[in-house]
Amino acid sequence: MAKAARAAQAWRAYKQVSQPGSPGLGARLRAIPKLIGATTRGQYPGMSKGKLAMLGLGVVYILSPVDVIPDFLVLVGVADDFGVFLWLMGSLLGESGRYVDWERRNIQAAAFHPDQL
């Protein structure tokens, strides 16, 4: 069940990236460092520090040589890493797309109301 949910999340992220007018994959990937910085500084209200910490733990889990299910159990061991990867990419792509939209709205608002900066 969880594998299907992760695959569905990856599919939704792909559909979001490919929608007309939506930030593309390149824009989303370039926005990730800015998203992280804005979240840690408390400037971006769309993502909590707790969610950012969970995404960081996902990266650590993928990179860590210690797994909940060891990789020598070939199919199952690799599948858990791949599941975490799908969740991580789906979450990052979705959140970075929302961040790009938020950033665009703030830039447009600042252009129309420069005295409110």
Side-chain angles (χ1 to χ4, degrees):
M1 185 68 171
K3 292 177 188 178
R6 288 188 292 255
Q9 184 179 15
W11 178 252
R12 281 191 303 275
Y14 167 75
K15 294 297 282 181
Q16 286 175 353
V17 169
S18 61
Q19 284 181 348
S22 176
L25 181 61
R28 290 170 188 249
L29 292 175
R30 286 189 303 273
I32 290 172
K34 293 190 294 184
L35 165 68
I36 293 168
T39 300
T40 57
R41 289 187 302 273
Q43 296 172 333
Y44 175 57
M47 183 178 204
S48 69
K49 290 182 182 177
K51 184 171 182 179
L52 183 62
M54 288 299 294
L55 294 172
L57 287 173
V59 170
V60 169
Y61 182 80
I62 290 171
L63 297 177
S64 172
V66 178
D67 282 345
V68 173
I69 302 173
D71 287 340
F72 68 80
L73 299 172
V74 179
L75 293 177
V76 180
V78 174
D80 77 315
D81 286 345
F82 188 65
V84 172
F85 174 78
L86 286 177
W87 168 78
L88 185 62
M89 287 297 98
S91 297
L92 278 175
L93 290 176
E95 197 61 53
S96 64
R98 287 186 288 279
Y99 175 78
V100 170
D101 289 338
W102 174 82
E103 190 176 45
R104 287 176 183 168
R105 284 191 309 273
N106 282 347
I107 289 171
Q108 289 173 351
F112 289 117
H113 306 288
D115 57 328
Q116 295 180 358
L117 291 177

